[in-house]
Amino acid sequence: MSGSANLSVFQSQVAIKFQLYNSLFTSLPFHKIEKTGILVSMLLLHCEEGYKKKQAPAEIIEHFFQTQTEILTEQEKIDLLFRFVQYVERQVVLFDALEDAAFREVNDMQGKGTVKQLLIEAEQKQLLEVLKKRMNDFHIQLVLTAHPTQFYRGAVLGIIHDLSSAINANNEKQIYTYLQQLGRTPFFQQQKPTPYDEAVSLIWYLENVFYHAAGKIISYMKENMPDLLQPHHTILRMGFWPGGDRDGNPFVTKDISVKVANSLRESIVKSYYTEVRKLKRRLTFKGVDTALSNLEKRLYDNLFVPGHAFDLTKAEILDALEKIKHQLIYEYNQLFVGLVESLINKVELFGLHFATLDIRQDSSIHGKIYENIIANSTILPKNFNDVSENEQLNLLANISNVIDTNLLTDAVQKDTLEIVGAIRQIQQLNGEAGCNRYIISHCFSAVNVMEVFGMFLMMGWPKEKMSIDIVPLFETIDDLQNAAHIMETLYQHNVYRAHLKHRNNKQTIMLGFSDGTKDGGYLMANWSIYKTKEALTAISQQYGIDVVFFDGRGGPPARGGGKTHQFYASMGKNISNKEIQLTIQGQTVSSNFGTVDSAQYNVEQLIHAGMYNEIFSNNAITFNEKEEVLMSEIASTSYDAFLQLKNHPYFIDFLVHVSPLKLYSETNIGSRPTKRGSSTKLTLNDLRAIPFVGSWSQIKINVTGYFGVGTALQTAEKQGKWNDIKALYQHSLFFKTLIDNCEMAMQKCFFPLTAFLAHDEKYSDIWNMLFHEYELTKKYVLLLNGKTTLMADYPVDHLSIQMRERIVLPLVTIQQYAITKIREFENIPSKETLKNTYEKLAMRCSFGIINAGRNSA
């Protein structure tokens, strides 16, 4: 389907229907709903006209009150603004539901980037054998995380799902009913969710989306090319962080981790049980029905019988299903055999674990654990910190004493050791895949990796059969540059090398996009990660290690999101790509994988991306020598520009002054604190990437998605290298994807919102720096792609963003108005109550603004 055809479908299925169903809001049987809807429409027009006149948000809101209402008191104004927020929030939900409903119509489910097209092209080019070999040496692992970027409550996500179904069925009565339900359903959680609450929310997606989408993908492959996948090859795997990610989250404990692992196991067994019960309606044949009933009873007993010890195995389920399949083939003319094969495929994929529970902790916590162990035991010598790195590695690798965790008095430190012991318990019930990775945040050295190895030894794990992968996470620009040296040091160490041999000579390395961008800016972060992957691939190959890259990606381009599949398609052959592993965080779960259709489509896009470059591309590398030098130069220039901005004395002050950054912790959308450490002073190092990027997106200055790009391109032009830049854009999918995602970030900018700071005594300098770089980047990006508007190559995305940004224009205006009031009432004791109310208003605006952006946080 062409771009213009897609756009036409989007206009008819989303844009026009939004206008139609949006009008239903005003007819809902709620107090003052009609008046609110009319006033919201008037406020929207008021905002558009006001910004054209260069008015500040506070001026626009006050003028609206004066000319369009008879409201006089402060409390009446606040009440009306809260009603506006609630109304617009529900408009965003409607738009989300319409897009979800239209997904299959707007996106060609059998077109470019799908598994079907992959098979067709391989057959046409006589590359089926190459595809088979590659397919059976390839995996995708999607890791669901509980990062606090999902501003919808579970109840609201459920309404979106049901509303989409009603829209697809053209059931107007149901649509109207769900809109009524939406009107009465709170969007705001009174309390923060616990880590277990977060896990339960994401398990819903495993049960209702990924279970079915993955099954459809594998069934399609096997039906259309029976020998494409080897037996037991799991091309798709799921990972899971809620309940395992301890980094900066003191609420994640050993007991929570075990409870989440149990819930994952119970959930997948329940899914099998439900499917077996459905199979019984079809498989009513003699012998088959008995075998199926026996399997049903085994599943039931392990799920529902009180006191029944869990004794089910993946092998037992598969053996029972294979025998049933054999009977159907040889006794019943293969009747309904496809239904059994579909369930077999799912059992192969999900086992008894459903998703692998990853454990993650910060290296600083490990360091504190060892400080206490050295001070209070003889496990390591007192002079441990004074000896050489190599001697430290040897000492850690040869720990032979099991520690009593009561030696540690700090709760977080003690729990960190105890979860190391509990992993074996999880593996015994869920299988090794249930929990077999330990990720080290802020990994600065080889010692940081061996510290974790030593922790497993201290908790009684055998050195020779340690069924765990230790995964260093490199995030900052400096960490990325040191990564290859760190890994070579580990590869050269005999004990760690023996551990890798036991783990099939595979080393997983995680690379963090979010903190990399916060540290070095958009271009430098992405280029540093690319070069780090090259260096790590080379050093791993040198030592005979298969390196697997696990990308810590968020939703927006600033955090590694955007057109993710294009990034993987652009990786050259000098970067290991046997597996694609990435985090799917918060809001991105619902926006990209919220329905079976969207999940199937996006997973297939990733499979296609992982296959395409190696099978169909003739390029041995992504960049030639000249292009690589050019990329390094523009990344370096961009980095210098970003550092100049970041080092501005008012950089953080500006963000605190004009954005809802300080209010993030009040949103109650995640269990994890918004900043690291306990210091009351906010610093860039302590600030997490999510609230950092999210705050910029709410004030419509997506600085981490464009800043430095314009300066880099302008500098290249002044150096006479513009033709080289254009050639790079045309030749390199990697560079083009960087620019495409930069366009997306800029498309969501709206500088008139904060233009009142252009002449501010304190912040005019930094605001003008941001605006100048935006204008410069926009100018050179359009020169580069030859278009007149941003995102012209993606008309559906362009229109979607345009409509979403218009829906929330009243919200961003109200939020800025509230933040202005907060500043006005600062340090005035008599206004403390009003100030607190405006803080709640500003925070509540965040929900609709972030949700409308879909990948803004």
Side-chain angles (χ1 to χ4, degrees), residues 656-791:
V656 171
H657 178 84
V658 75
S659 84
L661 177 63
K662 291 193 295 184
L663 306 174
Y664 248 84
S665 61
E666 305 303 318
T667 56
N668 291 337
I669 61 168
S671 65
R672 194 173 71 170
T674 58
K675 65 185 285 291
R676 296 181 174 96
S678 56
S679 171
T680 55
K681 181 175 173 58
L682 188 63
T683 67
L684 189 59
N685 287 336
D686 288 338
L687 184 60
R688 291 190 178 278
I690 291 168
F692 178 72
V693 174
S695 294
W696 285 113
S697 74
Q698 287 186 68
I699 60 174
K700 300 302 169 186
I701 305 176
N702 292 312
V703 60
T704 46
Y706 75 86
F707 200 92
V709 176
T711 295
L713 296 179
Q714 183 187 53
T715 301
E717 183 192 39
K718 288 179 177 178
Q719 294 172 343
K721 299 177 181 178
W722 186 246
N723 287 335
D724 295 334
I725 291 287
K726 290 180 71 174
L728 183 67
Y729 179 77
Q730 292 165 0
H731 169 251
S732 168
L733 179 59
F734 177 82
F735 183 59
K736 185 180 185 305
T737 302
L738 280 179
I739 298 300
D740 285 352
N741 281 339
C742 179
E743 287 188 64
M744 182 189 296
M746 288 193 294
Q747 182 66 29
K748 295 180 181 181
C749 289
F750 184 65
F751 275 88
L753 179 70
T754 52
F756 63 94
L757 294 170
H759 304 290
D760 185 85
E761 183 177 347
K762 182 176 180 180
Y763 297 116
S764 60
D765 182 52
I766 194 167
W767 186 90
N768 283 294
M769 283 178 67
L770 296 167
F771 181 60
H772 172 74
E773 186 64 26
Y774 169 83
E775 289 292 308
L776 192 65
T777 304
K778 182 178 178 181
K779 170 188 173 182
Y780 278 95
V781 164
L782 293 178
L783 279 174
L784 194 57
N785 61 27
K787 308 296 182 182
T788 56
T789 59
L790 294 172
M791 296 189 71

Side-chain angles (χ1 to χ4, degrees), residues 115-116 118-124 127-129 131-132 135-136 218-230:
V115 168
K116 180 178 181 178
L118 183 68
L119 300 182
I120 290 173
E121 188 167 358
E123 185 174 21
Q124 289 175 342
L127 292 170
L128 283 178
E129 291 305 314
L131 176 63
K132 290 176 189 176
M135 191 75 78
N136 287 285
I218 302 304
S219 293
Y220 180 86
M221 287 181 174
K222 291 186 175 181
E223 287 169 8
N224 288 274
M225 195 173 290
D227 60 343
L228 177 63
L229 296 176
Q230 293 175 359

Side-chain angles (χ1 to χ4, degrees), residues 277-334:
R277 284 182 61 82
K278 289 180 180 177
L279 278 174
K280 286 184 70 178
R281 296 187 59 141
R282 302 279 79 84
L283 305 185
T284 53
F285 319 127
K286 184 178 179 181
V288 174
D289 56 351
T290 303
L292 204 56
S293 292
N294 291 337
L295 177 57
E296 179 193 17
K297 185 176 188 307
R298 287 288 291 141
L299 294 168
Y300 180 90
D301 289 348
N302 278 270
L303 265 178
F304 302 118
V305 175
H308 188 286
F310 191 87
D311 61 354
L312 195 64
T313 66
K314 175 181 175 180
E316 179 187 348
I317 299 172
L318 286 173
D319 183 60
L321 291 172
E322 288 290 352
K323 288 178 179 177
I324 291 170
K325 174 184 172 183
H326 185 273
Q327 265 189 293
L328 291 176
I329 291 173
Y330 293 101
E331 297 179 30
Y332 297 102
N333 199 31
Q334 302 190 46

Side-chain angles (χ1 to χ4, degrees), residues 189-447:
Q189 297 187 144
Q190 296 300 320
Q191 295 180 325
K192 282 180 174 292
T194 67
Y196 185 70
D197 293 334
E198 293 171 330
V200 170
S201 294
L202 286 179
I203 288 174
W204 184 92
Y205 286 97
L206 289 173
E207 288 181 347
N208 294 282
V209 178
F210 289 100
Y211 180 80
H212 302 287
K216 290 176 70 173
I217 293 169
I218 302 304
S219 293
Y220 180 86
M221 287 181 174
K222 291 186 175 181
E223 287 169 8
N224 288 274
M225 195 173 290
D227 60 343
L228 177 63
L229 296 176
Q230 293 175 359
H232 314 304
H233 177 65
T234 53
I235 191 170
L236 175 64
R237 300 165 178 166
M238 299 302 299
F240 207 74
W241 274 19
D245 182 11
R246 288 157 162 68
D247 180 14
N249 193 340
F251 306 113
V252 177
T253 64
K254 179 201 73 173
D255 291 341
I256 289 290
S257 298
V258 172
K259 186 177 181 181
V260 169
N262 289 340
S263 293
L264 285 165
R265 184 183 66 252
E266 290 165 4
S267 175
I268 191 59
V269 174
K270 183 174 69 175
S271 296
Y272 298 153
Y273 174 75
T274 301
E275 194 154 352
V276 165
R277 284 182 61 82
K278 289 180 180 177
L279 278 174
K280 286 184 70 178
R281 296 187 59 141
R282 302 279 79 84
L283 305 185
T284 53
F285 319 127
K286 184 178 179 181
V288 174
D289 56 351
T290 303
L292 204 56
S293 292
N294 291 337
L295 177 57
E296 179 193 17
K297 185 176 188 307
R298 287 288 291 141
L299 294 168
Y300 180 90
D301 289 348
N302 278 270
L303 265 178
F304 302 118
V305 175
H308 188 286
F310 191 87
D311 61 354
L312 195 64
T313 66
K314 175 181 175 180
E316 179 187 348
I317 299 172
L318 286 173
D319 183 60
L321 291 172
E322 288 290 352
K323 288 178 179 177
I324 291 170
K325 174 184 172 183
H326 185 273
Q327 265 189 293
L328 291 176
I329 291 173
Y330 293 101
E331 297 179 30
Y332 297 102
N333 199 31
Q334 302 190 46
L335 191 59
F336 299 127
V337 73
L339 298 178
V340 178
E341 287 177 336
S342 176
L343 180 52
I344 289 172
N345 294 337
K346 291 166 186 168
V347 177
E348 290 277 18
L349 285 178
F350 300 118
L352 292 176
H353 64 286
F354 215 158
T356 301
L357 181 66
D358 285 341
I359 305 300
R360 182 171 77 136
Q361 184 57 283
D362 192 274
S363 64
S364 63
I365 301 297
H366 306 148
K368 291 173 183 176
I369 289 172
Y370 277 97
E371 284 178 15
N372 283 319
I373 288 172
I374 292 168
N376 299 297
S377 76
T378 58
I379 290 177
L380 290 171
K382 302 299 182 186
N383 68 338
F384 176 82
N385 291 319
D386 299 323
V387 302
S388 68
E389 180 185 57
N390 190 56
E391 194 168 347
Q392 286 181 336
L393 294 175
N394 289 334
L395 287 167
L396 291 166
N398 291 289
I399 290 173
S400 57
N401 295 338
V402 176
I403 194 172
D404 179 0
T405 58
N406 290 320
L407 184 70
L408 300 173
T409 56
D410 180 85
V412 172
Q413 294 173 31
K414 183 179 179 181
D415 177 80
T416 299
L417 267 185
E418 288 181 342
I419 187 57
V420 168
I423 290 173
R424 273 187 294 190
Q425 175 187 343
I426 296 171
Q427 289 189 356
Q428 287 169 0
L429 292 173
N430 294 22
E432 183 185 314
C435 185
N436 60 12
R437 302 203 300 190
Y438 193 110
I439 300 162
I440 310 164
S441 296
H442 291 107
C443 184
F444 301 118
S445 66
V447 171

Side-chain angles (χ1 to χ4, degrees), residues 396-525:
L396 291 166
N398 291 289
I399 290 173
S400 57
N401 295 338
V402 176
I403 194 172
D404 179 0
T405 58
N406 290 320
L407 184 70
L408 300 173
T409 56
D410 180 85
V412 172
Q413 294 173 31
K414 183 179 179 181
D415 177 80
T416 299
L417 267 185
E418 288 181 342
I419 187 57
V420 168
I423 290 173
R424 273 187 294 190
Q425 175 187 343
I426 296 171
Q427 289 189 356
Q428 287 169 0
L429 292 173
N430 294 22
E432 183 185 314
C435 185
N436 60 12
R437 302 203 300 190
Y438 193 110
I439 300 162
I440 310 164
S441 296
H442 291 107
C443 184
F444 301 118
S445 66
V447 171
N448 287 158
V449 175
M450 201 61 83
E451 283 173 340
V452 172
F453 188 86
M455 284 163 50
F456 277 85
L457 295 177
M458 280 189 281
M459 294 304 294
W461 285 72
K463 185 186 296 185
E464 298 77 17
K465 295 182 179 180
M466 192 182 291
S467 54
I468 199 81
D469 294 324
I470 301 173
V471 182
L473 167 53
F474 302 112
E475 299 175 273
T476 67
I477 301 302
D478 287 344
D479 293 346
L480 291 167
Q481 291 174 348
N482 294 331
H485 170 71
I486 290 170
M487 295 315 301
E488 183 172 23
T489 301
L490 290 166
Y491 294 157
Q492 290 174 341
H493 195 274
N494 290 337
V495 173
Y496 192 77
R497 188 67 183 80
H499 170 66
L500 288 181
K501 185 176 181 180
H502 171 63
R503 302 301 292 165
N504 298 316
N505 287 317
K506 186 178 85 169
Q507 173 67 58
T508 302
I509 298 173
M510 188 172 181
L511 303 171
F513 282 77
S514 298
D515 281 303
T517 305
K518 181 166 74 82
D519 184 51
Y522 178 65
L523 273 183
M524 177 55 87

